[in-house]
Amino acid sequence: MVNLVEEDAALEPSIHHPPRLGCCTCSCSYRTPSLRELFEKDRRLLRSMLAIVILMNVPVGQYVLYPLLLFATWIHESFHGIAALLIGGDIISLNVYKDGSGLCLTSFPVSNFNRCWVASAGYQGTAVVGGVLLMFRRSNISARIGTCGAGLLMLLTCILYVRNPFGLASLVIMGFLLLILGWKLPPFWVGELFALLASTTCLNAITSIRVLFFVSEAQIGGVVRSSDAVTMQEVTAIHAHVWAGIWLLLSLWATTMGINVTFETASNHDTILAQGGDGEDHPLALTELS
C-alpha cells in the first residue's frame, strides 16, 4: 500500500522532506501503514461494513438495506443513460421497480460499438462511482456535498426521465431525504451516511454481477429482457460469462482503489491527530487544506 501526503509549506511547515516524485510537485513519500493507523483512520468505513454485515443477517435488515439497493439500481440505470447521451443518443425513460430491478430505455446511432458502450456502462459505472465515493469517506465536507449532490441528481432524473409510479415515488422520497439529511445532519452523522452509501454501492457492484453467471434473461417491467452480458455476447461473440468476469474484476479493483486511495480535509486530519492517530503518514491520503 502506498502513502501520499500533500503539504502546503505556507500553511503547514514541513517537518521532513521526503524525495519528490517526477509526476507531481508536492512532497511525497512511500510507506506501509500500520494496523493501528488503518484502524484510527478508517473507523467510519469499519462501522459501515459492520452495519451492513449485521443488517444482512437479521430479519429486519433487508428492509433497512432496501433503499440502498434502489440507490445502486438508480446509479446503474443512470450510467446506461449517460453512456447513450455521450454518443449523441437520448434517454427515453429511466425506471426503477419494486423488486430492485431497473430499466433505462435509450435511443442512439446504431453500431456495434454503441451497443457495447451503452450495455457495459451500467456495471462499470456503478463500480467506479462506488470506488470514488469510498475515496472521499474521510472528508466531512465531501460527504455533505456528495450526499446533497446525489439527492439533487436523483430529483433531476425524476423530473426528466423517470416515468413509472413506483420509481417516481421512491426516488423522489429518497432524493429529498438525501438532500435534507446531507444539509442538516451534523458532520459525524452525514459522514456515517455517506460511508454507508459508498460501501453498499461497492458491495452491490460486486454481488449483482454474480446473477449474470446463472441468468441470461429476466422479467423487468413486465417484459422478459436479456442481461447486459448477453447483449455484449450478441455483439462481440465473446461469451457472457467472460464479460461478467471482466466487470467483476473491475468492481473488485474499483473497491480496492476506493479503500486505499483517500481524500480528506485538513479538519479531518487534525481530528485524527487529536484522537491519538499518527497523523504524519496515511495510506494514499491527500490532505486538502481548507
Side-chain angles (χ1 to χ4, degrees), residues 67-68 70-72 74-75 78-79 82 94 129-130 133 141-159 162 170-183 190 193-198 200-201:
L68 300 174
L70 298 182
F71 179 79
W74 168 72
I75 293 176
S78 295
F79 268 90
I82 292 171
L94 191 160
V129 167
L133 292 178
I141 296 175
S142 299
R144 192 174 299 281
I145 294 173
T147 305
C148 290
L152 285 173
L153 290 174
M154 191 171 284
L155 293 174
L156 181 62
T157 56
C158 288
I159 294 172
V162 181
S170 59
L171 294 182
V172 165
I173 292 173
M174 286 177 60
F176 275 114
L177 279 176
L178 287 174
L179 185 59
I180 294 171
L181 294 175
W183 184 17
V190 75
L193 173 60
F194 184 80
L196 188 61
L197 288 174
T200 52
T201 301

Side-chain angles (χ1 to χ4, degrees), residues 22-259:
C23 61
C24 63
T25 59
C26 63
S27 297
C28 308
S29 62
Y30 290 93
R31 176 174 171 279
T32 302
S34 66
L35 290 176
R36 178 174 175 271
E37 289 170 337
L38 289 175
F39 179 78
E40 291 289 343
K41 295 293 290 183
D42 270 326
R43 290 177 179 176
R44 178 174 289 171
L45 178 61
L46 293 173
R47 284 192 295 266
S48 68
M49 293 174 62
L50 179 61
I52 292 171
V53 170
I54 293 174
L55 290 171
M56 290 177 66
N57 290 278
V58 297
V60 298
Q62 59 180 327
Y63 301 107
V64 179
L65 292 175
Y66 182 66
L68 300 174
L69 170 63
L70 298 182
F71 179 79
T73 300
W74 168 72
I75 293 176
H76 179 107
E77 300 305 330
S78 295
F79 268 90
H80 282 307
I82 292 171
L85 294 175
L86 289 176
I87 55 175
D90 195 14
I91 301 174
I92 299 173
S93 65
L94 191 160
N95 297 330
V96 175
Y97 301 99
K98 65 175 64 177
D99 61 357
S101 64
L103 178 65
C104 183
L105 293 178
T106 60
S107 63
F108 50 84
V110 179
S111 74
N112 286 340
F113 171 82
N114 288 349
R115 286 190 66 191
C116 291
W117 172 259
V118 175
S120 63
Y123 287 105
Q124 294 183 82
T126 305
V128 171
V129 167
V132 171
L133 292 178
L134 274 182
M135 291 180 183
F136 290 91
R137 67 186 180 275
R138 294 180 184 171
S139 169
N140 290 331
I141 296 175
S142 299
R144 192 174 299 281
I145 294 173
T147 305
C148 290
L152 285 173
L153 290 174
M154 191 171 284
L155 293 174
L156 181 62
T157 56
C158 288
I159 294 172
L160 296 177
Y161 304 119
V162 181
R163 297 293 176 263
N164 68 315
F166 174 82
L168 270 175
S170 59
L171 294 182
V172 165
I173 292 173
M174 286 177 60
F176 275 114
L177 279 176
L178 287 174
L179 185 59
I180 294 171
L181 294 175
W183 184 17
K184 293 294 187 180
L185 281 179
F188 173 83
W189 288 109
V190 75
E192 297 295 296
L193 173 60
F194 184 80
L196 188 61
L197 288 174
S199 300
T200 52
T201 301
C202 285
L203 181 63
N204 182 271
I206 296 171
T207 58
S208 63
I209 293 176
R210 74 172 184 267
V211 178
L212 301 178
F213 291 102
F214 307 103
V215 178
S216 59
E217 57 184 21
Q219 190 174 62
I220 302 175
V223 179
V224 176
R225 302 179 185 274
S226 299
S227 69
D228 294 337
V230 170
T231 300
M232 296 294 291
Q233 176 179 312
E234 293 173 353
V235 176
T236 65
I238 299 174
H239 200 280
H241 289 180
V242 175
W243 290 109
I246 292 173
W247 295 336
L248 178 59
L249 290 175
L250 174 64
S251 297
L252 292 171
W253 175 82
T255 301
T256 301
M257 292 297 293
I259 292 173

